[in-house]
Amino acid sequence: MVQATESQQVERHAFVKNIHGVRYQVKDVARSVAFYTQHLGFKLEHQQLPAFPNVSFGDAQILLSGPGASGSRPMPNGQQQEPGGWNRVVLRVTDLPGFINELKKAGLRFRNEMESGPGGRQIQIEDPDGNAIELFEPAR
């Protein structure tokens, strides 16, 4: 299989410039900002209360759409955009058991127990609105 060079990929995808971020639907913007910044170390980049903030960790951006945001408006068929689901942001961590203990002390919600596999260990937590975040520690 022949790999395309970066310039060839840009030519084939002239409209897509990069990944802007991941959007999560939230019910309370201020509560969500506090969760991501205080518990997970994200940085608040921008906010328009009460509709929208975006938080970052390095180059990764999470766009949090509150009830008044354009990114949370109903679909043309009337279907509401809701928090939750199974798609998730995956954060690479160190000392997963230690971090789990810290988050449990803070009262965070976990979807499961820590799982181990050939690629490493992971567990899922939820933000205040039920959006999943996976904490992943690669195998050594």
Side-chain angles (χ1 to χ4, degrees), residues 6-25:
E6 186 174 336
S7 63
Q8 289 171 322
Q9 290 174 351
V10 170
E11 288 175 26
R12 285 195 308 235
H13 301 288
F15 293 103
V16 178
K17 301 300 181 195
N18 59 26
I19 295 173
H20 183 67
V22 173
R23 183 178 308 277
Y24 273 163
Q25 303 297 320

mmCIF file with all atom_site columns, all heavy atoms in Angstrom, residues 6-25:
data_model
loop_
_atom_site.group_PDB
_atom_site.id
_atom_site.type_symbol
_atom_site.label_atom_id
_atom_site.label_alt_id
_atom_site.label_comp_id
_atom_site.label_asym_id
_atom_site.label_entity_id
_atom_site.label_seq_id
_atom_site.pdbx_PDB_ins_code
_atom_site.Cartn_x
_atom_site.Cartn_y
_atom_site.Cartn_z
_atom_site.occupancy
_atom_site.B_iso_or_equiv
_atom_site.pdbx_formal_charge
_atom_site.auth_seq_id
_atom_site.auth_comp_id
_atom_site.auth_asym_id
_atom_site.auth_atom_id
_atom_site.pdbx_PDB_model_num
ATOM 1   N N   . GLU A 1 6  ? 1.653   14.331 2.601  1.00 0.00 ? 6  GLU A N   1
ATOM 2   C CA  . GLU A 1 6  ? 0.765   15.322 3.237  1.00 0.00 ? 6  GLU A CA  1
ATOM 3   C C   . GLU A 1 6  ? 0.182   16.268 2.197  1.00 0.00 ? 6  GLU A C   1
ATOM 4   O O   . GLU A 1 6  ? -0.997  16.597 2.240  1.00 0.00 ? 6  GLU A O   1
ATOM 5   C CB  . GLU A 1 6  ? 1.531   16.094 4.298  1.00 0.00 ? 6  GLU A CB  1
ATOM 6   C CG  . GLU A 1 6  ? 0.646   17.026 5.097  1.00 0.00 ? 6  GLU A CG  1
ATOM 7   C CD  . GLU A 1 6  ? 1.382   17.681 6.248  1.00 0.00 ? 6  GLU A CD  1
ATOM 8   O OE1 . GLU A 1 6  ? 2.388   17.129 6.717  1.00 0.00 ? 6  GLU A OE1 1
ATOM 9   O OE2 . GLU A 1 6  ? 0.938   18.759 6.651  1.00 0.00 ? 6  GLU A OE2 1
ATOM 10  N N   . SER A 1 7  ? 0.982   16.710 1.222  1.00 0.00 ? 7  SER A N   1
ATOM 11  C CA  . SER A 1 7  ? 0.475   17.632 0.206  1.00 0.00 ? 7  SER A CA  1
ATOM 12  C C   . SER A 1 7  ? -0.586  16.962 -0.665 1.00 0.00 ? 7  SER A C   1
ATOM 13  O O   . SER A 1 7  ? -1.552  17.598 -1.068 1.00 0.00 ? 7  SER A O   1
ATOM 14  C CB  . SER A 1 7  ? 1.606   18.194 -0.654 1.00 0.00 ? 7  SER A CB  1
ATOM 15  O OG  . SER A 1 7  ? 2.239   17.150 -1.376 1.00 0.00 ? 7  SER A OG  1
ATOM 16  N N   . GLN A 1 8  ? -0.442  15.664 -0.947 1.00 0.00 ? 8  GLN A N   1
ATOM 17  C CA  . GLN A 1 8  ? -1.463  14.945 -1.711 1.00 0.00 ? 8  GLN A CA  1
ATOM 18  C C   . GLN A 1 8  ? -2.748  14.838 -0.908 1.00 0.00 ? 8  GLN A C   1
ATOM 19  O O   . GLN A 1 8  ? -3.839  14.968 -1.450 1.00 0.00 ? 8  GLN A O   1
ATOM 20  C CB  . GLN A 1 8  ? -0.974  13.552 -2.097 1.00 0.00 ? 8  GLN A CB  1
ATOM 21  C CG  . GLN A 1 8  ? 0.117   13.563 -3.152 1.00 0.00 ? 8  GLN A CG  1
ATOM 22  C CD  . GLN A 1 8  ? 0.726   12.189 -3.340 1.00 0.00 ? 8  GLN A CD  1
ATOM 23  O OE1 . GLN A 1 8  ? 0.915   11.439 -2.377 1.00 0.00 ? 8  GLN A OE1 1
ATOM 24  N NE2 . GLN A 1 8  ? 1.047   11.856 -4.579 1.00 0.00 ? 8  GLN A NE2 1
ATOM 25  N N   . GLN A 1 9  ? -2.639  14.617 0.405  1.00 0.00 ? 9  GLN A N   1
ATOM 26  C CA  . GLN A 1 9  ? -3.834  14.532 1.243  1.00 0.00 ? 9  GLN A CA  1
ATOM 27  C C   . GLN A 1 9  ? -4.555  15.866 1.288  1.00 0.00 ? 9  GLN A C   1
ATOM 28  O O   . GLN A 1 9  ? -5.771  15.924 1.233  1.00 0.00 ? 9  GLN A O   1
ATOM 29  C CB  . GLN A 1 9  ? -3.461  14.081 2.655  1.00 0.00 ? 9  GLN A CB  1
ATOM 30  C CG  . GLN A 1 9  ? -3.030  12.636 2.704  1.00 0.00 ? 9  GLN A CG  1
ATOM 31  C CD  . GLN A 1 9  ? -2.530  12.242 4.086  1.00 0.00 ? 9  GLN A CD  1
ATOM 32  O OE1 . GLN A 1 9  ? -2.349  13.065 4.958  1.00 0.00 ? 9  GLN A OE1 1
ATOM 33  N NE2 . GLN A 1 9  ? -2.315  10.955 4.255  1.00 0.00 ? 9  GLN A NE2 1
ATOM 34  N N   . VAL A 1 10 ? -3.811  16.972 1.350  1.00 0.00 ? 10 VAL A N   1
ATOM 35  C CA  . VAL A 1 10 ? -4.427  18.295 1.376  1.00 0.00 ? 10 VAL A CA  1
ATOM 36  C C   . VAL A 1 10 ? -5.168  18.543 0.076  1.00 0.00 ? 10 VAL A C   1
ATOM 37  O O   . VAL A 1 10 ? -6.277  19.061 0.069  1.00 0.00 ? 10 VAL A O   1
ATOM 38  C CB  . VAL A 1 10 ? -3.367  19.387 1.639  1.00 0.00 ? 10 VAL A CB  1
ATOM 39  C CG1 . VAL A 1 10 ? -3.945  20.773 1.431  1.00 0.00 ? 10 VAL A CG1 1
ATOM 40  C CG2 . VAL A 1 10 ? -2.817  19.248 3.047  1.00 0.00 ? 10 VAL A CG2 1
ATOM 41  N N   . GLU A 1 11 ? -4.581  18.156 -1.048 1.00 0.00 ? 11 GLU A N   1
ATOM 42  C CA  . GLU A 1 11 ? -5.232  18.347 -2.342 1.00 0.00 ? 11 GLU A CA  1
ATOM 43  C C   . GLU A 1 11 ? -6.536  17.562 -2.415 1.00 0.00 ? 11 GLU A C   1
ATOM 44  O O   . GLU A 1 11 ? -7.518  18.047 -2.949 1.00 0.00 ? 11 GLU A O   1
ATOM 45  C CB  . GLU A 1 11 ? -4.294  17.922 -3.475 1.00 0.00 ? 11 GLU A CB  1
ATOM 46  C CG  . GLU A 1 11 ? -3.145  18.880 -3.677 1.00 0.00 ? 11 GLU A CG  1
ATOM 47  C CD  . GLU A 1 11 ? -2.165  18.382 -4.727 1.00 0.00 ? 11 GLU A CD  1
ATOM 48  O OE1 . GLU A 1 11 ? -2.576  17.608 -5.608 1.00 0.00 ? 11 GLU A OE1 1
ATOM 49  O OE2 . GLU A 1 11 ? -0.998  18.767 -4.639 1.00 0.00 ? 11 GLU A OE2 1
ATOM 50  N N   . ARG A 1 12 ? -6.575  16.348 -1.903 1.00 0.00 ? 12 ARG A N   1
ATOM 51  C CA  . ARG A 1 12 ? -7.785  15.525 -1.954 1.00 0.00 ? 12 ARG A CA  1
ATOM 52  C C   . ARG A 1 12 ? -8.851  16.027 -0.995 1.00 0.00 ? 12 ARG A C   1
ATOM 53  O O   . ARG A 1 12 ? -10.015 15.761 -1.171 1.00 0.00 ? 12 ARG A O   1
ATOM 54  C CB  . ARG A 1 12 ? -7.465  14.071 -1.620 1.00 0.00 ? 12 ARG A CB  1
ATOM 55  C CG  . ARG A 1 12 ? -6.778  13.361 -2.754 1.00 0.00 ? 12 ARG A CG  1
ATOM 56  C CD  . ARG A 1 12 ? -6.828  11.880 -2.522 1.00 0.00 ? 12 ARG A CD  1
ATOM 57  N NE  . ARG A 1 12 ? -6.318  11.562 -1.193 1.00 0.00 ? 12 ARG A NE  1
ATOM 58  C CZ  . ARG A 1 12 ? -5.336  10.712 -0.943 1.00 0.00 ? 12 ARG A CZ  1
ATOM 59  N NH1 . ARG A 1 12 ? -4.748  10.099 -1.922 1.00 0.00 ? 12 ARG A NH1 1
ATOM 60  N NH2 . ARG A 1 12 ? -4.936  10.476 0.285  1.00 0.00 ? 12 ARG A NH2 1
ATOM 61  N N   . HIS A 1 13 ? -8.453  16.724 0.065  1.00 0.00 ? 13 HIS A N   1
ATOM 62  C CA  . HIS A 1 13 ? -9.387  17.191 1.085  1.00 0.00 ? 13 HIS A CA  1
ATOM 63  C C   . HIS A 1 13 ? -9.208  18.695 1.274  1.00 0.00 ? 13 HIS A C   1
ATOM 64  O O   . HIS A 1 13 ? -8.935  19.168 2.357  1.00 0.00 ? 13 HIS A O   1
ATOM 65  C CB  . HIS A 1 13 ? -9.163  16.454 2.404  1.00 0.00 ? 13 HIS A CB  1
ATOM 66  C CG  . HIS A 1 13 ? -9.323  14.979 2.262  1.00 0.00 ? 13 HIS A CG  1
ATOM 67  N ND1 . HIS A 1 13 ? -10.548 14.398 2.088  1.00 0.00 ? 13 HIS A ND1 1
ATOM 68  C CD2 . HIS A 1 13 ? -8.421  13.984 2.242  1.00 0.00 ? 13 HIS A CD2 1
ATOM 69  C CE1 . HIS A 1 13 ? -10.392 13.097 1.978  1.00 0.00 ? 13 HIS A CE1 1
ATOM 70  N NE2 . HIS A 1 13 ? -9.109  12.819 2.057  1.00 0.00 ? 13 HIS A NE2 1
ATOM 71  N N   . ALA A 1 14 ? -9.403  19.423 0.210  1.00 0.00 ? 14 ALA A N   1
ATOM 72  C CA  . ALA A 1 14 ? -9.149  20.863 0.232  1.00 0.00 ? 14 ALA A CA  1
ATOM 73  C C   . ALA A 1 14 ? -10.042 21.610 1.213  1.00 0.00 ? 14 ALA A C   1
ATOM 74  O O   . ALA A 1 14 ? -9.656  22.660 1.703  1.00 0.00 ? 14 ALA A O   1
ATOM 75  C CB  . ALA A 1 14 ? -9.317  21.439 -1.166 1.00 0.00 ? 14 ALA A CB  1
ATOM 76  N N   . PHE A 1 15 ? -11.218 21.107 1.511  1.00 0.00 ? 15 PHE A N   1
ATOM 77  C CA  . PHE A 1 15 ? -12.127 21.819 2.393  1.00 0.00 ? 15 PHE A CA  1
ATOM 78  C C   . PHE A 1 15 ? -11.869 21.530 3.870  1.00 0.00 ? 15 PHE A C   1
ATOM 79  O O   . PHE A 1 15 ? -12.161 22.347 4.718  1.00 0.00 ? 15 PHE A O   1
ATOM 80  C CB  . PHE A 1 15 ? -13.581 21.486 2.059  1.00 0.00 ? 15 PHE A CB  1
ATOM 81  C CG  . PHE A 1 15 ? -13.994 22.012 0.714  1.00 0.00 ? 15 PHE A CG  1
ATOM 82  C CD1 . PHE A 1 15 ? -14.093 21.167 -0.372 1.00 0.00 ? 15 PHE A CD1 1
ATOM 83  C CD2 . PHE A 1 15 ? -14.257 23.362 0.538  1.00 0.00 ? 15 PHE A CD2 1
ATOM 84  C CE1 . PHE A 1 15 ? -14.457 21.650 -1.609 1.00 0.00 ? 15 PHE A CE1 1
ATOM 85  C CE2 . PHE A 1 15 ? -14.624 23.854 -0.697 1.00 0.00 ? 15 PHE A CE2 1
ATOM 86  C CZ  . PHE A 1 15 ? -14.719 23.005 -1.780 1.00 0.00 ? 15 PHE A CZ  1
ATOM 87  N N   . VAL A 1 16 ? -11.325 20.359 4.191  1.00 0.00 ? 16 VAL A N   1
ATOM 88  C CA  . VAL A 1 16 ? -11.070 19.988 5.587  1.00 0.00 ? 16 VAL A CA  1
ATOM 89  C C   . VAL A 1 16 ? -9.657  20.432 5.942  1.00 0.00 ? 16 VAL A C   1
ATOM 90  O O   . VAL A 1 16 ? -8.685  19.946 5.384  1.00 0.00 ? 16 VAL A O   1
ATOM 91  C CB  . VAL A 1 16 ? -11.241 18.469 5.812  1.00 0.00 ? 16 VAL A CB  1
ATOM 92  C CG1 . VAL A 1 16 ? -10.930 18.109 7.260  1.00 0.00 ? 16 VAL A CG1 1
ATOM 93  C CG2 . VAL A 1 16 ? -12.637 18.028 5.428  1.00 0.00 ? 16 VAL A CG2 1
ATOM 94  N N   . LYS A 1 17 ? -9.564  21.369 6.880  1.00 0.00 ? 17 LYS A N   1
ATOM 95  C CA  . LYS A 1 17 ? -8.258  21.921 7.247  1.00 0.00 ? 17 LYS A CA  1
ATOM 96  C C   . LYS A 1 17 ? -7.635  21.193 8.438  1.00 0.00 ? 17 LYS A C   1
ATOM 97  O O   . LYS A 1 17 ? -6.447  20.976 8.482  1.00 0.00 ? 17 LYS A O   1
ATOM 98  C CB  . LYS A 1 17 ? -8.378  23.414 7.580  1.00 0.00 ? 17 LYS A CB  1
ATOM 99  C CG  . LYS A 1 17 ? -8.912  24.240 6.432  1.00 0.00 ? 17 LYS A CG  1
ATOM 100 C CD  . LYS A 1 17 ? -8.019  24.143 5.225  1.00 0.00 ? 17 LYS A CD  1
ATOM 101 C CE  . LYS A 1 17 ? -8.548  24.996 4.092  1.00 0.00 ? 17 LYS A CE  1
ATOM 102 N NZ  . LYS A 1 17 ? -7.956  24.683 2.815  1.00 0.00 ? 17 LYS A NZ  1
ATOM 103 N N   . ASN A 1 18 ? -8.441  20.872 9.461  1.00 0.00 ? 18 ASN A N   1
ATOM 104 C CA  . ASN A 1 18 ? -7.946  20.159 10.625 1.00 0.00 ? 18 ASN A CA  1
ATOM 105 C C   . ASN A 1 18 ? -9.138  19.783 11.495 1.00 0.00 ? 18 ASN A C   1
ATOM 106 O O   . ASN A 1 18 ? -10.273 20.120 11.174 1.00 0.00 ? 18 ASN A O   1
ATOM 107 C CB  . ASN A 1 18 ? -6.923  20.979 11.415 1.00 0.00 ? 18 ASN A CB  1
ATOM 108 C CG  . ASN A 1 18 ? -7.483  22.296 11.920 1.00 0.00 ? 18 ASN A CG  1
ATOM 109 O OD1 . ASN A 1 18 ? -8.684  22.449 12.131 1.00 0.00 ? 18 ASN A OD1 1
ATOM 110 N ND2 . ASN A 1 18 ? -6.614  23.275 12.108 1.00 0.00 ? 18 ASN A ND2 1
ATOM 111 N N   . ILE A 1 19 ? -8.877  19.133 12.586 1.00 0.00 ? 19 ILE A N   1
ATOM 112 C CA  . ILE A 1 19 ? -9.931  18.823 13.546 1.00 0.00 ? 19 ILE A CA  1
ATOM 113 C C   . ILE A 1 19 ? -10.042 20.009 14.489 1.00 0.00 ? 19 ILE A C   1
ATOM 114 O O   . ILE A 1 19 ? -9.068  20.372 15.154 1.00 0.00 ? 19 ILE A O   1
ATOM 115 C CB  . ILE A 1 19 ? -9.626  17.527 14.324 1.00 0.00 ? 19 ILE A CB  1
ATOM 116 C CG1 . ILE A 1 19 ? -9.642  16.348 13.361 1.00 0.00 ? 19 ILE A CG1 1
ATOM 117 C CG2 . ILE A 1 19 ? -10.646 17.333 15.450 1.00 0.00 ? 19 ILE A CG2 1
ATOM 118 C CD1 . ILE A 1 19 ? -9.198  15.046 13.984 1.00 0.00 ? 19 ILE A CD1 1
ATOM 119 N N   . HIS A 1 20 ? -11.212 20.605 14.541 1.00 0.00 ? 20 HIS A N   1
ATOM 120 C CA  . HIS A 1 20 ? -11.425 21.791 15.379 1.00 0.00 ? 20 HIS A CA  1
ATOM 121 C C   . HIS A 1 20 ? -11.637 21.400 16.833 1.00 0.00 ? 20 HIS A C   1
ATOM 122 O O   . HIS A 1 20 ? -11.201 22.097 17.737 1.00 0.00 ? 20 HIS A O   1
ATOM 123 C CB  . HIS A 1 20 ? -12.630 22.574 14.861 1.00 0.00 ? 20 HIS A CB  1
ATOM 124 C CG  . HIS A 1 20 ? -12.888 23.834 15.612 1.00 0.00 ? 20 HIS A CG  1
ATOM 125 N ND1 . HIS A 1 20 ? -12.027 24.911 15.589 1.00 0.00 ? 20 HIS A ND1 1
ATOM 126 C CD2 . HIS A 1 20 ? -13.901 24.183 16.439 1.00 0.00 ? 20 HIS A CD2 1
ATOM 127 C CE1 . HIS A 1 20 ? -12.496 25.872 16.350 1.00 0.00 ? 20 HIS A CE1 1
ATOM 128 N NE2 . HIS A 1 20 ? -13.640 25.459 16.891 1.00 0.00 ? 20 HIS A NE2 1
ATOM 129 N N   . GLY A 1 21 ? -12.313 20.285 17.065 1.00 0.00 ? 21 GLY A N   1
ATOM 130 C CA  . GLY A 1 21 ? -12.557 19.856 18.434 1.00 0.00 ? 21 GLY A CA  1
ATOM 131 C C   . GLY A 1 21 ? -13.646 18.805 18.484 1.00 0.00 ? 21 GLY A C   1
ATOM 132 O O   . GLY A 1 21 ? -14.132 18.347 17.462 1.00 0.00 ? 21 GLY A O   1
ATOM 133 N N   . VAL A 1 22 ? -14.018 18.448 19.684 1.00 0.00 ? 22 VAL A N   1
ATOM 134 C CA  . VAL A 1 22 ? -15.094 17.497 19.954 1.00 0.00 ? 22 VAL A CA  1
ATOM 135 C C   . VAL A 1 22 ? -16.191 18.294 20.646 1.00 0.00 ? 22 VAL A C   1
ATOM 136 O O   . VAL A 1 22 ? -15.907 19.063 21.561 1.00 0.00 ? 22 VAL A O   1
ATOM 137 C CB  . VAL A 1 22 ? -14.596 16.355 20.871 1.00 0.00 ? 22 VAL A CB  1
ATOM 138 C CG1 . VAL A 1 22 ? -15.734 15.461 21.297 1.00 0.00 ? 22 VAL A CG1 1
ATOM 139 C CG2 . VAL A 1 22 ? -13.499 15.565 20.177 1.00 0.00 ? 22 VAL A CG2 1
ATOM 140 N N   . ARG A 1 23 ? -17.451 18.119 20.203 1.00 0.00 ? 23 ARG A N   1
ATOM 141 C CA  . ARG A 1 23 ? -18.556 18.853 20.820 1.00 0.00 ? 23 ARG A CA  1
ATOM 142 C C   . ARG A 1 23 ? -19.333 17.935 21.751 1.00 0.00 ? 23 ARG A C   1
ATOM 143 O O   . ARG A 1 23 ? -19.688 16.828 21.383 1.00 0.00 ? 23 ARG A O   1
ATOM 144 C CB  . ARG A 1 23 ? -19.507 19.408 19.760 1.00 0.00 ? 23 ARG A CB  1
ATOM 145 C CG  . ARG A 1 23 ? -20.626 20.253 20.381 1.00 0.00 ? 23 ARG A CG  1
ATOM 146 C CD  . ARG A 1 23 ? -21.552 20.860 19.342 1.00 0.00 ? 23 ARG A CD  1
ATOM 147 N NE  . ARG A 1 23 ? -20.875 21.592 18.296 1.00 0.00 ? 23 ARG A NE  1
ATOM 148 C CZ  . ARG A 1 23 ? -20.456 22.859 18.372 1.00 0.00 ? 23 ARG A CZ  1
ATOM 149 N NH1 . ARG A 1 23 ? -20.638 23.545 19.482 1.00 0.00 ? 23 ARG A NH1 1
ATOM 150 N NH2 . ARG A 1 23 ? -19.870 23.437 17.343 1.00 0.00 ? 23 ARG A NH2 1
ATOM 151 N N   . TYR A 1 24 ? -19.573 18.425 22.955 1.00 0.00 ? 24 TYR A N   1
ATOM 152 C CA  . TYR A 1 24 ? -20.430 17.751 23.913 1.00 0.00 ? 24 TYR A CA  1
ATOM 153 C C   . TYR A 1 24 ? -21.609 18.669 24.242 1.00 0.00 ? 24 TYR A C   1
ATOM 154 O O   . TYR A 1 24 ? -21.432 19.884 24.398 1.00 0.00 ? 24 TYR A O   1
ATOM 155 C CB  . TYR A 1 24 ? -19.679 17.467 25.216 1.00 0.00 ? 24 TYR A CB  1
ATOM 156 C CG  . TYR A 1 24 ? -18.890 16.178 25.258 1.00 0.00 ? 24 TYR A CG  1
ATOM 157 C CD1 . TYR A 1 24 ? -17.917 16.008 26.228 1.00 0.00 ? 24 TYR A CD1 1
ATOM 158 C CD2 . TYR A 1 24 ? -19.111 15.138 24.370 1.00 0.00 ? 24 TYR A CD2 1
ATOM 159 C CE1 . TYR A 1 24 ? -17.189 14.831 26.315 1.00 0.00 ? 24 TYR A CE1 1
ATOM 160 C CE2 . TYR A 1 24 ? -18.382 13.965 24.451 1.00 0.00 ? 24 TYR A CE2 1
ATOM 161 C CZ  . TYR A 1 24 ? -17.424 13.816 25.418 1.00 0.00 ? 24 TYR A CZ  1
ATOM 162 O OH  . TYR A 1 24 ? -16.709 12.649 25.501 1.00 0.00 ? 24 TYR A OH  1
ATOM 163 N N   . GLN A 1 25 ? -22.781 18.080 24.343 1.00 0.00 ? 25 GLN A N   1
ATOM 164 C CA  . GLN A 1 25 ? -23.964 18.802 24.788 1.00 0.00 ? 25 GLN A CA  1
ATOM 165 C C   . GLN A 1 25 ? -23.966 18.812 26.320 1.00 0.00 ? 25 GLN A C   1
ATOM 166 O O   . GLN A 1 25 ? -23.733 17.772 26.938 1.00 0.00 ? 25 GLN A O   1
ATOM 167 C CB  . GLN A 1 25 ? -25.238 18.119 24.270 1.00 0.00 ? 25 GLN A CB  1
ATOM 168 C CG  . GLN A 1 25 ? -25.293 17.980 22.762 1.00 0.00 ? 25 GLN A CG  1
ATOM 169 C CD  . GLN A 1 25 ? -25.307 19.317 22.039 1.00 0.00 ? 25 GLN A CD  1
ATOM 170 O OE1 . GLN A 1 25 ? -25.960 20.249 22.469 1.00 0.00 ? 25 GLN A OE1 1
ATOM 171 N NE2 . GLN A 1 25 ? -24.577 19.402 20.942 1.00 0.00 ? 25 GLN A NE2 1
#
